[in-house]
């Protein structure tokens, strides 16, 4: 077997938690996993808690991530936050193109591409979200749609840049619904993503980049996803809000990493 990519488990806290709750959760996870080296763990709190959560995990191996970024460096863009600011706040990762951003805030493939380029220019590692609605899946459009989302997100990037990033396959119908995809369905799309990257970037970039699954991931179903050959981790929403459920997901990734 070739070298396995290092598993990545990212918690997307979305618009949840007040400051003390965010810091408490970060401190609990730090106590348990602050020196864990075989899985990359990322916490993505809301913008105002980046600094206090960053402080809570400072000096540990847990990384900080943001949930969004703007593509411009600075200027008159009320309510937006730039890559330089996120890096300065201690972020190492940034989630880009989450389906909630695409659905509720009209983010297009083109905007996602600009955000990815801006993140990389600021030294941040993008976690790019792609995925189809239930209607699109029923209509047999999943593969073409995901291929299109991935191609647009990576356009203009160098091979070395693509090696560093992660793509999260998140079927929209599985997000926050309690109905996850099956391991086989997730693997099929993850395999397709690697094929697309191999074609539009390079085989080397495709085999180095990490592909995550997201959508109702729990400690119970994580083994089914992380054991798939093209799935290297998870982007977790609901189950990342509690230390015990997020820990169960990290533990499942550690089992695979230890093999
Ligand atoms: P969920 O969210 O785990 O609550 O389904 C996943 C996500 O939106 O990234």
């Amino acid at each position: 077997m070739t070298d396995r990519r290092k598993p990545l488990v990212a918690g997307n806290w979305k618009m949840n938690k007040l400051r003390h709750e965010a810091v408490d959760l970060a401190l609990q996870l730090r106590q348990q996993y602050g020196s864990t080296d075989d899985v990359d763990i990322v916490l993505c709190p809301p913008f105002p808690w980046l600094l206090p959560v960053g402080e809570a995990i400072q000096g540990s191996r847990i990384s900080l991530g943001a949930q969004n970024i703007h593509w411009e460096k600075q200027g008159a863009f009320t309510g937006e936050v730039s890559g330089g600011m996120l890096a300065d706040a201690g972020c190492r990762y940034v989630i880009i193109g989450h389906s909630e951003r695409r659905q509720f805030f009209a983010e297009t493939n083109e905007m996602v591409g600009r955000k990815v380029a801006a993140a990389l220019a600021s030294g941040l590692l993008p976690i790019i979200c792609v995925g189809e609605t239930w209607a699109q899946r029923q209509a047999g459009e999943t593969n073409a749609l995901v291929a299109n989302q991935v191609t647009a997100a990576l356009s203009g990037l160098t091979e070395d840049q693509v090696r560093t990033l992660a793509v999260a396959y998140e079927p929209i119908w599985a997000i926050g619904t309690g109905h996850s995809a099956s391991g086989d369905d997730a693997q099929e799309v993850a395999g397709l993503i690697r094929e697309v990257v191999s074609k539009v970037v390079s085989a080397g970039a495709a085999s180095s980049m990490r592909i995550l699954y997201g959508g109702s991931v729990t400690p119970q179903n994580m083994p089914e996803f992380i054991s798939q050959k093209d799935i290297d981790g998870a982007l977790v929403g609901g189950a990342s809000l509690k230390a015990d459920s997020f820990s169960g997901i990290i533990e499942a990734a550690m089992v695979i990493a230890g093999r």
Side-chain angles (χ1 to χ4, degrees):
M1 189 174 158
T2 52
D3 285 346
R4 240 200 117 88
R5 294 164 290 269
K6 190 173 182 183
L8 170 62
V9 176
N12 174 11
W13 294 358
K14 308 191 180 183
M15 197 172 74
N16 291 293
K17 296 198 178 293
L18 294 177
R19 179 182 180 139
H20 71 278
E21 297 165 329
V23 169
D24 279 356
L25 178 55
L27 288 173
Q28 281 184 64
L29 292 166
R30 183 200 177 120
Q31 204 179 13
Q32 278 181 280
Y33 302 108
S35 40
T36 296
D37 198 22
D38 38 10
V39 173
D40 286 333
I41 301 168
V42 186
L43 305 182
C44 305
F47 282 142
W49 315 144
L50 285 172
L51 288 177
V53 167
E55 212 171 283
I57 57 176
Q58 196 172 19
S60 79
R61 293 194 183 273
I62 301 177
S63 301
L64 190 65
Q67 299 174 16
N68 188 21
I69 180 176
H70 193 263
W71 56 82
E72 293 291 345
K73 287 199 177 86
Q74 61 195 43
F77 301 99
T78 301
E80 295 293 330
V81 176
S82 73
M85 293 170 188
L86 296 177
D88 203 12
C91 290
R92 175 146 179 75
Y93 291 84
V94 57
I95 298 170
I96 298 177
H98 190 280
S99 64
E100 287 149 21
R101 302 284 329 158
R102 295 180 190 255
Q103 244 182 320
F104 307 139
F105 303 96
E107 273 190 24
T108 62
N109 278 343
E110 195 248 331
M111 288 157 82
V112 170
R114 290 170 83 176
K115 289 179 176 208
V116 170
L120 289 164
S122 299
L124 299 166
L125 303 176
I127 299 174
I128 303 163
C129 303
V130 298
E132 81 289 358
T133 62
W134 183 250
Q136 288 163 333
R137 169 159 285 261
Q138 292 299 93
E141 294 167 4
T142 303
N143 289 4
L145 179 109
V146 169
N148 203 18
Q149 288 176 324
V150 170
T151 305
L154 305 185
S155 90
L157 302 185
T158 67
E159 181 178 347
D160 283 345
Q161 286 177 317
V162 175
R163 280 178 193 278
T164 65
L165 53 76
V167 172
Y169 169 54
E170 298 207 309
I172 296 170
W173 46 271
I175 296 178
T177 59
H179 301 291
S180 64
S182 68
D184 287 346
D185 284 347
Q187 165 56 35
E188 194 182 323
V189 180
L192 164 92
I193 292 170
R194 234 180 264 289
E195 247 171 62
V196 169
V197 174
S198 183
K199 231 189 291 164
V200 301
V201 186
S202 74
S207 69
S208 300
M209 69 180 295
R210 289 183 287 194
I211 299 178
L212 315 180
Y213 168 76
S216 297
V217 174
T218 62
Q220 290 72 34
N221 63 25
M222 181 64 174
E224 188 184 339
F225 295 115
I226 191 70
S227 57
Q228 303 292 336
K229 80 175 171 42
D230 286 303
I231 299 179
D232 310 308
L235 180 56
V236 187
S240 74
L241 296 173
K242 289 207 179 106
D244 58 351
S245 44
F246 197 50
S247 302
I249 292 167
I250 294 169
E251 300 283 342
M254 285 169 74
V255 169
I256 285 288
R259 272 186 199 158

